[in-house]
Amino acid sequence: MLAQQRQQAILERVRSDGGVRVADLVRELGVSDMTIRRDLEVLAERGLLEKVHGGATALGPGSTEEPGFTAKSARQQPEKQAIARRAAQLVRPGTAVALSAGTTTWALAHHLIAVPDLTVITNSIPVAEVFHRNPRADRTVVLTGGVRTPSDALVGPVAVAAIRRLHVDTLFLGVHGMSVRAGFTTPNLLESETDRELVTAAGRLVVPADHTKWNTVGISTIAELSEADVVISDAGLPEDARTELADRAGELIIAEEGTL
């Protein structure tokens, strides 16, 4: 394979998956570690991707760019499923949980449909739809009102008013990005306000976020890293991120793909 063909293959992989690891590319393309790193350097210099420790990621979106739910749901599917399975283990029957909007929380909802005696609070239309399609007599689902965002979240004063008098055992907070400087963020100002109200209502804050969320920054901060009781991510999370999250959050869990 010529260098140009190899670099195009790498770029397509980055764009489809959001990021790649050098070790995976070495194995898949059958070339040396040095060759892959040189290819990544060339692509980075051309402004086509961003080099990170151990690999590369797609260029980060602007702080107010908000992809639609369908677009986001196609990204990092294996990682999100692993995170969702692990997050579901934190939910006990007979409790009240809140799921904010997001494709990882939507994946989590599918793993909670069998949990008995559950009360679910959500501002996500897709999350509520998962439970609606799989009804249980012993489950209560509360969908807040509000203004609909591109990511199918319900936000704004109506949503905030609905959440303000509620108390839940655990909030699973979907985020656009997370970083040491900005904490957990979103590209939507109204969604940030609504999510902060959910954080206030929760006894425990769990953030399920795949590795591509690290060092992605939205325009508005929902919570600081230190406010999370648990962060659940995947094996692609770089070592520096693991160190920072382990130091700042209550607990960091790495969900392995294919594990139950």
Side-chain angles (χ1 to χ4, degrees), residues 130-214:
V130 170
F131 293 112
H132 178 72
R133 293 196 306 266
N134 300 273
R136 288 183 63 106
D138 59 352
R139 182 200 301 131
T140 300
V141 178
V142 178
L143 177 63
T144 70
V147 177
R148 188 172 184 169
T149 71
S151 60
D152 288 344
L154 297 175
V155 302
V158 173
V160 168
I163 296 165
R164 185 158 289 162
R165 289 176 173 263
L166 301 175
H167 305 279
V168 297
D169 298 296
T170 302
L171 164 63
F172 294 93
L173 177 68
V175 299
H176 174 75
M178 53 183 177
S179 72
V180 172
R181 177 177 65 85
F184 301 109
T185 59
T186 173
N188 188 298
L189 290 170
L190 287 177
E191 187 165 2
S192 177
E193 180 186 21
T194 304
D195 284 347
R196 280 197 291 269
E197 202 66 45
L198 285 168
V199 171
T200 300
R204 176 174 61 165
L205 173 58
V206 178
V207 180
D210 70 77
H211 68 278
T212 65
K213 304 297 178 68
W214 184 250

Side-chain angles (χ1 to χ4, degrees), residues 38-49 51:
R38 190 160 50 241
D39 287 338
L40 295 180
E41 187 70 38
V42 169
L43 292 169
E45 288 176 354
R46 292 166 58 192
L48 298 174
L49 52 72
K51 283 188 66 182

Side-chain angles (χ1 to χ4, degrees), residues 28-119:
E28 293 168 12
L29 298 177
V31 294
S32 69
D33 179 283
M34 184 176 296
T35 296
I36 292 298
R37 292 183 186 278
R38 190 160 50 241
D39 287 338
L40 295 180
E41 187 70 38
V42 169
L43 292 169
E45 288 176 354
R46 292 166 58 192
L48 298 174
L49 52 72
E50 181 177 356
K51 283 188 66 182
V52 297
H53 180 73
T57 63
L59 291 175
S63 64
T64 60
E65 183 179 337
E66 185 173 10
F69 181 87
T70 301
K72 291 195 294 184
S73 64
R75 302 172 182 173
Q76 284 73 52
Q77 291 183 349
E79 293 91 339
K80 290 176 181 177
Q81 285 300 323
I83 292 168
R85 283 194 296 269
R86 186 62 183 86
Q89 296 175 16
L90 302 180
V91 178
R92 294 180 291 106
T95 57
V97 299
L99 276 67
S100 78
T103 54
T104 307
T105 51
W106 175 75
L108 170 59
H110 290 82
H111 292 277
L112 297 182
I113 58 178
V115 178
D117 193 22
L118 197 63
T119 297

